[in-house]
Each structure stands twice: as structure tokens, then as C-alpha cells.
Amino acid sequence: MSGPGGAGGAGGAGGAGGRAAWIEQADEPFTAPWQARVFAVAVLTCERLDLGWDTFCDRLKAAVAEDPHRPYYDSWTVALERMVAEAAPAT
């Protein structure tokens, strides 16, 4: 996603009705299909483990806080792995 003056030419105008291209892109919740799939996996994992969405959000915040330079969706993976490990019965 680019900001003002980015994609869309000088001044950022472009798209339908003169909307800036970066505004149109900001309306999209995901920038790539795999990001939507990661979100779906997180939702399904919470449902299958009978955990609230807040449980995942807490794990995600902790993962981001412990390594703020890690790519955002890598933190999603860390949070999901921890949530599943904590929910798994001890063997």
C-alpha cells in the first residue's frame, strides 16, 4: 500500500471519482490472499478450541511485544502455535 503521492500518480489521485489509489487500497482488509487465509485459520482455531477471540488477540499482542521487528503475520503464527499448544492435553 502506498501513501499520498504514491500509486495513482502525482498527488495520489486516481481510481473512480478521483479517489486516491491509497485510499482505495486502505479499504481492503488484506493485501494478499494468504493473509485472509491466516485470518480464517485463526478464527477456526478459536472456534474449534472453544476459545474466545480475545484469547487469540492476547497471544498476538504478546507475540508482537516480545519481537516488534518480526513480520506481523509471523507473529500471528507464533500466537496460533502457542494457543494450540496451551489448549492441547498433556501427553
Side-chain angles (χ1 to χ4, degrees), residues 56-67 70 78-79 82:
F56 173 73
C57 292
D58 291 343
R59 301 304 183 288
L60 178 57
K61 286 184 248 179
V64 170
E66 79 181 25
D67 187 356
R70 176 177 32 224
V78 169
R82 289 181 182 163

Side-chain angles (χ1 to χ4, degrees), residues 40-89:
V41 166
V43 170
L44 288 172
T45 300
C46 286
E47 288 177 0
R48 299 267 166 90
L49 295 175
D50 198 28
L51 299 171
W53 184 247
D54 287 344
T55 302
F56 173 73
C57 292
D58 291 343
R59 301 304 183 288
L60 178 57
K61 286 184 248 179
V64 170
E66 79 181 25
D67 187 356
H69 301 291
R70 176 177 32 224
Y72 181 63
Y73 280 98
D74 286 354
S75 291
W76 277 62
T77 302
V78 169
L80 282 168
E81 288 174 348
R82 289 181 182 163
M83 194 170 67
V84 169
E86 291 169 11

Side-chain angles (χ1 to χ4, degrees), residues 7-20:
R19 285 183 72 189

Side-chain angles (χ1 to χ4, degrees), residues 3-24:
R19 285 183 72 189
W22 66 272
I23 292 173
E24 290 175 3

